[in-house]
Amino acid sequence: MTKKRFLFLRVPSSGPKALAGPPNDFSSLNEAEARLRDITSGNLKAHHTYLEIIEYTGDKVAFLNTKGILA
């Protein structure tokens, strides 16, 4: 069975979703949420309109390609 992993993404106001700056790949949702809290506790740049955590399994590069997410 493939383990779940969690990616931390930035969703700009225009353009495709992309991986946020490292670290951006986590083995637990708690780790990903902690990263989100760290980022949102400071100031976000204007072009980062939204941050998102998504779950994936299997090959990360294949998942990113399938979803149209930039690495």
Side-chain angles (χ1 to χ4, degrees):
M1 181 173 168
T2 306
K3 289 193 162 207
K4 295 178 186 176
R5 293 198 58 89
F6 301 88
L7 294 173
F8 184 60
L9 306 177
R10 61 180 172 83
V11 183
S13 56
S14 62
K17 295 179 181 182
L19 289 176
N24 53 34
D25 189 352
F26 302 92
S27 60
S28 76
L29 182 57
N30 286 339
E31 290 173 320
E33 288 173 337
R35 173 76 169 135
L36 177 62
R37 282 190 302 275
D38 287 345
I39 296 295
T40 56
S41 68
N43 293 324
L44 293 175
K45 293 182 180 179
H47 68 278
H48 292 177
T49 58
Y50 182 69
L51 299 170
E52 179 179 357
I53 297 169
I54 59 169
E55 179 183 309
Y56 80 99
T57 57
D59 182 70
K60 180 168 107 175
V61 173
F63 176 79
L64 293 171
N65 289 337
T66 299
K67 298 294 184 181
I69 299 169
L70 301 177

